[in-house]
């Protein structure tokens, strides 16, 4: 079952890599406007804020495997519509819907994972393998895009369908989530303790990932004439960073070290320092190298946070994952809305400095909040 679950998600993630790469290129080609790029970013961050909680409650009432299959089928339908449309606004609406169903798929997948992989060492190994194989497949994106361009979206549909076939073969040990024990997802049910604080800090640091996703291509366009090559190099190097992060996590994320906050503190400090460099030194190579290192740290930290949730709150994993999705997408949405306008008024380099200062202030606030509860 573990191998089928792993294969199912690797195929699913492979399709997603094609989708996320090509949709950015399409929108940027149609309008080189920072506000339009912000709207695109918002179209796949708003769903996390608006529907994560509702989706978690729906999954509570369904068979975990059934909900996973349902959401992936809906994703296939929306992806087909993106392939068929030539209207940018229809495409953006479809991006929004695709993200809604992708969130539902991820929440269901987390439930299936803690059901199928129940031992702690197995979870660490499963997470690491999933991350590694998914990022190896991501390396297919750039050569496939150069050959197929817009038809790359068809590969996303194909891989999602293959993922569905693998999901159909998975057997779970219980028919539905324990709704009677968990109750509905209400934010007031979450105590501000170790896990919640970890989620918030990780979500806050994801503003740097969000910046690259939304404005990385604009940073390169600001200082380089060859945008396509620069952006392709950025996507490729980020894939390598995520792959190395999954491999390095084996020696960093260990059960006996999970109670310590060293990984969290080290990650926060190193990311802030690294992001300062390209805001001062305006060079494509410098930008790509520092973003590579930031992504490497975020990749390791992401696995660290995921395992903490899986091992600390397995019965509520989809709910805490929903909380994390809401927090990350909330940060991304603020970046999408504010970033485009701020960049237009000043410039992208000064905006980067504003982001650094804002994150530092918010981290100080989070650190000073009482964290007496366990989770």
């Amino acid at each position: 079952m573990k191998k089928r679950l792993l294969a199912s998600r690797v195929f699913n993630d492979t399709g997603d890599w094609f989708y996320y790469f090509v949709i950015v290129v399409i929108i940027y080609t149609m309008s080189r406007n920072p506000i339009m790029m912000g709207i695109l970013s918002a179209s796949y961050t708003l769903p996390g804020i608006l529907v994560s909680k509702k989706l978690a409650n729906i999954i509570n009432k369904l068979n975990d495997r059934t909900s996973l299959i349902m959401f992936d089928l809906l994703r296939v339908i929306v992806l087909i519509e993106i392939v068929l449309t030539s209207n940018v606004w229809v495409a953006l609406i479809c991006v929004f819907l695709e993200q809604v169903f992708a969130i539902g798929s991820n929440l269901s997948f987390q439930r299936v994972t803690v059901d199928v992989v129940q031992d702690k060492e197995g979870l660490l190994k499963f997470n690491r393998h999933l991350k590694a194989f998914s990022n190896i497949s991501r390396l297919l994106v750039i050569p496939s895009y150069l050959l197929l361009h817009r038809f790359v979206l068809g590969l996303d549909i194909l891989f999602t369908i293959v993922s569905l076939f693998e999901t159909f073969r998975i057997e779970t040990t219980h028919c539905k989530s324990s709704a009677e024990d968990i109750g509905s997802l209400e934010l007031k049910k979450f105590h501000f303790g170790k896990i919640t604080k970890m989620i918030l800090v990780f979500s806050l640091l994801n503003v740097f990932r969000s910046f690259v996703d939304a404005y990385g291509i604009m940073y390169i366009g600001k200082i380089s004439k060859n945008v396509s090559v620069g952006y392709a190099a950025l996507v490729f190097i980020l894939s390598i960073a995520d792959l190395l992060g999954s491999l390095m996590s084996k020696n960093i994320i260990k059960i006996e070290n999970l109670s310590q906050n060293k990984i969290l503190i080290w990650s926060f400090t190193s990311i802030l320092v690294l992001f300062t460099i390209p805001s001062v030194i305006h060079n494509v190579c410098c930008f790509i190298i520092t973003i590579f290192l930031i992504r490497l740290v975020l990749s390791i930290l992401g696995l660290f946070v995921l395992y903490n949730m899986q091992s600390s709150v397995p019965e509520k994993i989809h709910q805490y994952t929903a909380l994390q999705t809401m927090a990350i997408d909330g940060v991304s949405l603020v970046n999408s809305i504010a970033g485009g306008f701020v960049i237009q008024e000043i410039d992208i380099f000064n905006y980067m400095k504003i982001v650094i200062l804002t994150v530092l202030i918010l981290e100080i606030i989070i650190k000073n909040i009482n964290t007496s509860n366990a989770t």
Side-chain angles (χ1 to χ4, degrees):
M1 287 302 116
K2 293 180 184 179
K3 291 182 179 179
R4 289 177 182 173
L5 181 62
L6 181 64
S8 171
R9 208 58 187 178
V10 168
F11 281 121
N12 198 298
D13 288 350
T14 301
D16 286 347
W17 293 134
F18 289 115
Y19 166 76
Y20 285 118
F21 180 82
V22 75
I23 202 69
V24 171
V25 175
I26 289 172
I27 300 300
Y28 180 75
T29 302
M30 296 177 68
S31 174
R32 296 171 181 262
N33 188 318
I35 295 177
M36 283 301 297
M37 299 306 294
I39 292 174
L40 172 63
S41 181
S43 68
Y44 49 70
T45 55
L46 266 176
I49 302 169
L50 299 177
V51 303
S52 293
K53 171 178 156 181
K54 293 180 176 63
L55 290 173
N57 288 334
I58 290 172
I59 293 168
N60 263 349
K61 302 173 184 177
L62 296 175
N63 176 289
D64 297 329
R65 192 188 69 158
T66 300
S67 62
L68 181 57
I69 292 170
M70 177 188 72
F71 285 120
D72 281 340
L73 279 172
L74 291 171
R75 288 183 64 230
V76 169
I77 294 171
V78 173
L79 289 168
I80 291 173
E81 179 60 29
I82 294 177
V83 171
L84 297 177
T85 188
S86 58
N87 185 296
V88 64
W89 292 107
V90 172
L92 288 172
I93 292 171
C94 289
V95 170
F96 177 89
L97 292 175
E98 194 280 338
Q99 188 63 20
V100 169
F101 303 139
I103 292 169
S105 174
N106 182 50
L107 299 183
S108 301
F109 173 73
Q110 293 302 329
R111 283 292 302 172
V112 173
T113 298
V114 295
D115 184 27
V116 173
V117 189
Q118 297 183 349
D119 60 294
K120 292 186 176 182
E121 287 289 351
L123 279 171
L124 281 171
K125 186 177 180 181
F126 180 85
N127 293 338
R128 186 167 61 247
H129 286 173
L130 175 59
K131 189 80 171 180
F133 286 124
S134 294
N135 284 290
I136 289 173
S137 70
R138 186 179 180 182
L139 299 177
L140 298 171
V141 171
I142 295 173
S144 298
Y145 172 74
L146 294 175
L147 292 172
L148 299 173
H149 294 280
R150 191 181 178 99
F151 293 102
V152 166
L153 286 176
L155 293 177
D156 187 7
I157 297 171
L158 174 62
F159 281 116
T160 304
I161 291 173
V162 174
S163 172
L164 278 166
F165 279 117
E166 288 297 320
T167 304
F168 273 112
R169 300 170 62 193
I170 297 171
E171 296 178 3
T172 52
T173 58
H174 60 273
C175 293
K176 67 175 182 177
S177 306
S178 303
E180 62 275 9
D181 297 325
I182 299 173
S184 62
L185 176 61
E186 297 290 344
L187 292 183
K188 65 183 180 180
K189 299 289 186 182
F190 292 97
H191 300 295
F192 194 90
K194 175 186 173 183
I195 300 300
T196 311
K197 177 181 178 181
M198 194 175 294
I199 288 173
L200 291 181
V201 172
F202 179 63
S203 301
L204 186 60
L205 289 177
N206 265 270
V207 70
F208 300 107
R209 183 195 296 265
S210 171
F211 172 87
V212 175
D213 291 342
Y215 307 115
I217 195 170
M218 297 203 69
Y219 183 100
I220 294 171
K222 184 83 173 177
I223 58 180
S224 173
K225 294 180 179 179
N226 202 334
V227 179
S228 297
V229 173
Y231 184 63
L234 177 64
V235 172
F236 179 81
I237 206 71
L238 291 183
S239 304
I240 298 296
D242 286 335
L243 175 59
L244 288 178
S246 61
L247 298 176
M248 291 173 61
S249 67
K250 181 177 181 180
N251 297 320
I252 298 175
I253 305 174
K254 298 180 180 179
I255 294 176
E256 60 269 20
N257 297 330
L258 291 181
S259 60
Q260 302 177 12
N261 290 323
K262 290 182 180 179
I263 293 179
L264 209 58
I265 296 170
W266 175 79
S267 300
F268 181 83
T269 305
S270 60
I271 288 174
L272 280 186
V273 172
L274 286 168
F275 196 71
T276 304
I277 298 173
S279 71
V280 177
I281 303 174
H282 307 157
N283 178 273
V284 173
C285 291
C286 174
F287 177 71
I288 291 176
I289 291 171
T290 52
I291 296 304
F292 164 81
L293 294 173
I294 289 172
R295 192 62 164 257
L296 179 66
V297 175
L298 282 174
S299 179
I300 296 172
L301 183 60
L303 289 170
F304 175 76
V305 174
L306 174 60
Y307 178 74
N308 267 280
M309 289 194 297
Q310 289 174 333
S311 58
S312 300
V313 286
E315 74 286 354
K316 295 184 179 181
I317 181 63
H318 62 303
Q319 296 183 326
Y320 276 87
T321 302
L323 177 64
Q324 177 176 289
T325 301
M326 292 171 68
I328 289 176
D329 286 350
V331 168
S332 298
L333 181 62
V334 171
N335 175 62
S336 302
I337 294 174
F341 290 101
V342 173
I343 290 170
Q344 207 168 39
E345 290 297 321
I346 49 177
D347 61 47
I348 196 166
F349 310 117
N350 286 326
Y351 177 66
M352 294 170 72
K353 295 168 186 173
I354 291 173
V355 170
I356 294 168
L357 182 61
T358 303
V359 171
L360 182 60
I361 293 171
L362 290 175
E363 167 60 14
I364 293 172
I365 293 172
I366 292 175
K367 184 178 180 181
N368 289 326
I369 295 177
N370 183 13
T371 58
S372 58
N373 295 307
T375 59

